Amino acid sequence: QVQVVESGGGSVQAGGSLTLSCTASGLTFDDVAFGWFRQAPGKEREGVSCISWSGGVDYYANSVEGRFTISRDNAKNTLYLQMKSMKPEDTAMYYCAADYVRSMGCSLQTTDFKHWGQGTQVTVSS
């Protein structure tokens, strides 16, 4: 049984930093691509960042490019999202998603991921 668990959410002031973590069990961590998604109240879930199974490819939404960094530590079976220069509009529930992807890339589409965590809340105050 696959289990994806996010942690590290919390409250931060604008301009501050936060790092999210995601662990995944029940799958071969080295072979899966990961994505971070977020959903604000009343809005659709959107892709924030993704990273390929090899770690060699990553993508970012325009809204977070240059401020967020995705990384993975296969030895620890852990995915990270470092968030800096945070803005109130970054406030949302953040979700980690995983799936086996045969290509060398990754996706920011929710439909391309099968396994999801329950989310961790991030709140940025002005």
Side-chain angles (χ1 to χ4, degrees):
Q1 181 178 356
V2 177
Q3 190 172 15
V4 178
V5 180
E6 307 93 339
S7 62
S11 297
V12 63
Q13 289 192 331
S17 301
L18 209 58
T19 297
L20 305 182
S21 300
C22 170
T23 59
S25 60
L27 44 69
T28 305
F29 192 92
D30 295 13
D31 293 343
V32 302
F34 285 92
W36 283 104
F37 295 80
R38 66 187 182 187
Q39 187 167 18
K43 295 187 177 181
E44 293 187 355
R45 191 171 298 188
E46 63 174 357
V48 174
S49 182
C50 67
I51 188 167
S52 64
W53 64 268
S54 69
V57 175
D58 54 45
Y59 299 126
Y60 297 91
N62 290 337
S63 58
V64 306
E65 181 81 53
R67 300 188 298 120
F68 289 12
T69 303
I70 192 171
S71 62
R72 60 190 296 161
D73 186 338
N74 288 354
K76 296 182 178 180
N77 282 10
T78 304
L79 174 77
Y80 302 99
L81 183 69
Q82 293 180 296
M83 303 183 291
K84 299 180 180 180
S85 302
M86 297 186 72
K87 304 175 181 180
E89 49 263 44
D90 293 324
T91 295
M93 184 71 78
Y94 281 71
Y95 298 91
C96 175
D99 208 344
Y100 292 99
V101 177
R102 294 184 178 181
S103 73
M104 296 301 294
C106 63
S107 169
L108 291 177
Q109 300 299 316
T110 58
T111 52
D112 287 332
F113 290 90
K114 180 178 180 181
H115 307 291
W116 291 81
Q118 294 299 308
T120 185
Q121 178 67 38
V122 172
T123 302
V124 184
S125 58
S126 58

